[in-house]
Structure formats: structure tokens, C-alpha cells
């Protein structure tokens, strides 16, 4: 029997996850299939349950369903519990739905291991306060930045996140906007719709790093903005996507697939 997996989201047609997991399966010899699964905004639970009851073994969860997946899970990993969001669901043989969050470790591996970006001692700004921000905040805080700030169109959501995560680590965390950040991480989905973010000209320190969790075949508006405002290093979220997928693959299969060849192939546009 071949085990079945999928990525669920809305929108979902852009997702590179099926190609990533096809490459992982080929590299590790794991017998599995993987597909895209679209869900209407109000019907995540129904679609996820139908996939599980139909013999599905696990789901990757993308925008906008990570907080709904958190509520859907029966058991949570420590990192999912800390984040309050789930991006990986595993359907166990005992009927339990196990929820994990691999976003944070995926982001850190891409920033630190693949891009050589140091987080410790840096001033970091996170844009957004949704499920994606929840997923990466514990890992960013654990990397020991000098300070971490949050910004969101709805200020109350950023303030709520600052209150939730402010006691996890001694790093100062605030929703009060400042200027001159050495690393800005955009967790919003604005880039999926090609939307520009309204940011002060001096929010990024000269020579700083800009990282967009969104990935696209063309440069995202946030990355374009960063390049014209003094960023030395910029990256979309393709590397994070592959790294978090590798961690999810391990959660499902107990095997760690190689990531560098997959990132390189996708950067070359191979499908």
C-alpha cells in the first residue's frame, strides 16, 4: 500500500509541496503519494476529516488554516503548543490526530544554515500576527536576538502576540514599532496577491536582511521594497518551505531527506 499525504490551503494551486515531497520520496525510497487539497475558507475541518477518513496519513497545512489545524488536532507537539498553530498533521493508527509545527525550525535552518544569517544579538522585526507568525516566533526568540518587535495592520493582534510570547525568553518583545532593524521577516500573505506593504523608509537598517515567508517565481513586492531600501541580503521563503517540509517528512516517516538538492532544483525551475 502507498501512503497518501496532501497540502491543504486556500489558495493552493501555487504550492510546490507536491514536487518537494516527490523528490523526498524518491531520495529516501519511501512509498507515498502527495497532492494539493483546496478547502473553502469556512470548511477546513470538513475537508481535513474527509481526507483522514478516506485513508490519508497526513497533511501539511498552509494559509489560512494553521490556527484551525491547531484546534483540529487531538495531540500537540511542544512547538505546536507554544506556537498556537499547526502546519503538520499526522493521522496515527490509533485514530489520534497529531499536530506539529515545523515552520520555526524550517525558517532557522534556512536563515542560519543555508543563508548564513546570524540572529543572535540582532534587532528583529516580524511583520504579521497570524498563524505563520505564531509558528516562527518561538524559534526566533530561542535564537537569542537582541530584541524582537511585531508589526501588524491590526495593532491589537500584534499586542496579543507580544503578550503571549513575551514570557518565553528573556529577549525584549514588543508590538511598539521602531526603526533600524537588522532583520525583517515578513509572515504576511500579501505577496501571494502581489500586494505592497506600507513600511517606513528607515525601518530596515543599512545592510540589513529581509526575508519573505512567501515564495514566488518572481520577486515579491516586499523583497523589491527591501532591495531599494538598503538590504544586503534578501530571500523569499522557498528554502524555508523545503526545510519545514523535510521536518514534516521526518514527523510522518521517521526519515530525514536531503534538502540542498531540492532547493537547488526548485531555484533552477525544475519541476
Amino acid at each position: 500500500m502507498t501512503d497518501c499525504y496532501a497540502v491543504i490551503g486556500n489558495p493552493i494551486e501555487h504550492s510546490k509541496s507536491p514536487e518537494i515531497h516527490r523528490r523526498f520520496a524518491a531520495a529516501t525510497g519511501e512509498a507515498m503519494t502527495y497532492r494539493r487539497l483546496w478547502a473553502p475558507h469556512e470548511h477546513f475541518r470538513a475537508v481535513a476529516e474527509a481526507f483522514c477518513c478516506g485513508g490519508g496519513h497526513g497533511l501539511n497545512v498552509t494559509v489560512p488554516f494553521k490556527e484551525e489545524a491547531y484546534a483540529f488536532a487531538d495531540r500537540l507537539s511542544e512547538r505546536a503548543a507554544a506556537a498556537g498553530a499547526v502546519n503538520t498533521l499526522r493521522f496515527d493508527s490509533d485514530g489520534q490526530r497529531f499536530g506539529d509545527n515545523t515552520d520555526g525550525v524550517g525558517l532557522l535552518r534556512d536563515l542560519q544554515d543555508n543563508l548564513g544569517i546570524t540572529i543572535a544579538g540582532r534587532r528583529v522585526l516580524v511583520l504579521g500576527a497570524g498563524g505563520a507568525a505564531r509558528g516562527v516566533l518561538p524559534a526566533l526568540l530561542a535564537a537569542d536576538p537582541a530584541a524582537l518587535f511585531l508589526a501588524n495592520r491590526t495593532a491589537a493582534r500584534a499586542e496579543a502576540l507580544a503578550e503571549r510570547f513575551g514570557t518565553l525568553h528573556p529577549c525584549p518583545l514588543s508590538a511598539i514599532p521602531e526603526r533600524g532593524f537588522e532583520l525583517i521577516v515578513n509572515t504576511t500573505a500579501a505577496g501571494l496577491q502581489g500586494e505592497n506593504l506600507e513600511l517606513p523608509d528607515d525601518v530596515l537598517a543599512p545592510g540589513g536582511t529581509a526575508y519573505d515567508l512567501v515564495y514566488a517565481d518572481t520577486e515579491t513586492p516586499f523583497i523589491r521594497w527591501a532591495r531599494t531600501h538598503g538590504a544586503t541580503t534578501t530571500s523569499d521563503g522557498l528554502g524555508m518551505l523545503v526545510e519545514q517540509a523535510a521536518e514534516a517528512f521526518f514527523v510522518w516517516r521517521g526519515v530525514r531527506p536531503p534538502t540542498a538538492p531540492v532547493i537547488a532544483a526548485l531555484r533552477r525551475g525544475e519541476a
Side-chain angles (χ1 to χ4, degrees):
M1 292 291 291
T2 301
D3 296 341
C4 302
Y5 299 88
V7 55
I8 184 171
N10 184 347
I12 200 62
E13 63 275 1
H14 70 288
S15 177
K16 289 181 168 55
S17 292
E19 175 63 15
I20 291 169
H21 284 281
R22 183 191 69 77
R23 290 178 180 272
F24 286 168
T28 59
E30 294 292 305
M32 55 184 285
T33 63
Y34 190 106
R35 63 186 177 94
R36 298 178 185 90
L37 191 62
W38 179 82
H41 284 288
E42 304 302 322
H43 298 286
F44 165 81
R45 179 175 287 271
V47 175
E49 283 183 343
F51 180 78
C52 177
C53 293
H57 284 71
L59 287 169
N60 285 136
V61 183
T62 187
V63 293
F65 298 127
K66 295 181 182 183
E67 291 171 81
E68 291 183 60
Y70 175 87
F72 182 71
D74 299 312
R75 297 187 296 115
L76 297 168
S77 68
E78 288 186 11
R79 54 195 178 190
V86 161
N87 79 331
T88 301
L89 287 163
R90 186 185 68 211
F91 305 133
D92 293 335
S93 58
D94 61 1
Q96 291 282 294
R97 300 178 297 221
F98 174 73
D100 201 352
N101 196 305
T102 66
D103 280 337
V105 66
L107 175 61
L108 288 192
R109 286 176 183 164
D110 195 37
L111 278 171
Q112 298 182 148
D113 299 343
N114 299 338
L115 301 175
I117 302 300
T118 299
I119 297 171
R122 302 288 182 90
R123 298 178 74 254
V124 179
L125 174 64
V126 173
L127 303 175
R134 286 172 175 264
V136 301
L137 274 174
L140 286 171
L141 287 166
D144 199 27
L148 193 151
F149 289 77
L150 302 170
N152 191 60
R153 287 178 180 174
T154 305
R157 294 198 72 184
E159 291 164 1
L161 275 195
E163 183 176 351
R164 173 186 174 93
F165 291 103
T167 58
L168 287 181
H169 297 280
C171 158
L173 189 153
S174 174
I176 302 172
E178 289 192 4
R179 300 289 190 270
F181 290 97
E182 295 156 290
L183 170 63
I184 301 180
V185 178
N186 178 30
T187 73
T188 75
L192 291 178
Q193 290 82 37
E195 297 177 7
N196 291 306
L197 295 172
E198 296 181 7
L199 299 170
D201 287 342
D202 58 351
V203 70
L204 180 66
T209 297
Y211 192 98
D212 198 337
L213 266 62
V214 168
Y215 61 92
D217 293 331
T218 58
E219 199 170 60
T220 68
F222 172 67
I223 294 301
R224 277 199 306 274
W225 174 90
R227 287 189 186 277
T228 62
H229 287 80
T232 298
T233 303
T234 61
S235 180
D236 66 11
L238 181 63
M240 173 185 166
L241 175 72
V242 175
E243 295 292 350
Q244 67 80 25
E247 186 71 9
F249 193 92
F250 178 76
V251 170
W252 293 331
R253 314 297 296 181
V255 176
R256 292 194 181 278
T259 57
V262 179
I263 294 172
L266 293 180
R267 290 289 184 205
R268 293 192 299 266
E270 297 177 9

